[in-house]
Amino acid sequence: MDFLHDALHTGRKFRVLPIIDTYTRECFWIEADTSIGGNRVAQVLTRISAVHGLPEQIVVDNGPEFISNALDAWAFERGIRLQFIRPGKPVDNCHMESFNGKFRDECLNENWFMTLDQVRKIVEAWRVDYNQNRPHSALGDMTPAEFKLQELSKIGQNF
């Protein structure tokens, strides 16, 4: 997970927090608001984990929301390791950076946002399209949704 910043047409800044699975390339959620602190990050992760389960680790940068006591406690209580990238080395989180580039180019830069509600609607539509309709060469030209179904069917065959 990582933050990106943008602004409404009025100049009011907002942040987005995309959260992806680096194995399936699925984007679980993109939170958008004017302020997203450590407590909010933990709340979002709790909602996501109710649907997708808990990861073994989460790769993050050294931003204040990610080094916060709230996120540290959330991860500790669930046995999740927070893997901090080396300062100034975004390549340590290359899948997230690649996603962010596509998201910025194809969604944030392509829209003129009037309200936060509009941001949320447009971002969610882009996220769904990204997961359902966008093949990835790293996934054998499958979409994240197709790849995830394939992987789940493999697990089912092993039982």
Side-chain angles (χ1 to χ4, degrees), residues 57-80:
Q57 75 173 8
I58 301 173
V59 179
V60 294
D61 63 24
N62 294 279
E65 302 84 5
F66 300 141
I67 62 170
S68 71
N69 290 336
L71 187 59
D72 186 50
W74 180 90
F76 179 79
E77 290 167 3
R78 289 158 180 81
I80 299 169

Side-chain angles (χ1 to χ4, degrees), residues 19-28 52 95 130 144 148:
I19 301 171
I20 65 167
D21 177 353
T22 57
Y23 180 66
T24 65
R25 303 301 200 274
E26 181 180 10
C27 179
F28 291 144
H52 299 283
H95 295 297
Y130 174 87
K148 184 176 182 179

Side-chain angles (χ1 to χ4, degrees), residues 7-151:
L8 300 175
H9 78 288
T10 61
R12 185 172 187 195
K13 297 186 186 313
F14 67 87
R15 307 176 85 194
V16 289
L17 173 66
I19 301 171
I20 65 167
D21 177 353
T22 57
Y23 180 66
T24 65
R25 303 301 200 274
E26 181 180 10
C27 179
F28 291 144
W29 188 253
I30 303 175
E31 188 76 359
D33 212 331
T34 55
S35 176
I36 305 172
N39 283 323
R40 179 84 168 272
V41 172
Q43 291 170 357
V44 170
L45 291 172
T46 297
R47 286 195 321 262
I48 291 170
S49 68
V51 175
H52 299 283
L54 293 169
E56 292 178 17
Q57 75 173 8
I58 301 173
V59 179
V60 294
D61 63 24
N62 294 279
E65 302 84 5
F66 300 141
I67 62 170
S68 71
N69 290 336
L71 187 59
D72 186 50
W74 180 90
F76 179 79
E77 290 167 3
R78 289 158 180 81
I80 299 169
R81 184 168 61 103
L82 295 176
Q83 177 66 42
F84 293 96
I85 67 169
R86 296 172 293 168
K89 301 289 184 181
V91 71
D92 288 351
N93 202 359
C94 59
H95 295 297
M96 189 78 244
E97 293 300 325
S98 175
F99 176 89
N100 285 349
K102 290 177 182 78
F103 178 53
R104 164 85 48 211
D105 290 345
E106 299 170 10
C107 184
L108 298 179
N109 289 349
E110 290 294 317
N111 290 283
W112 185 255
F113 299 109
M114 305 300 279
T115 67
L116 272 174
D117 283 339
Q118 183 191 33
V119 171
R120 292 179 184 119
K121 287 176 185 168
I122 290 171
V123 163
E124 177 60 8
W126 185 90
R127 185 190 72 81
V128 168
D129 181 66
Y130 174 87
N131 287 335
Q132 301 293 322
N133 302 314
R134 300 269 309 273
H136 295 256
S137 59
L139 302 176
D141 291 320
M142 287 186 275
T143 67
E146 292 168 333
F147 183 76
K148 184 176 182 179
L149 280 175
Q150 175 185 288
E151 294 301 298

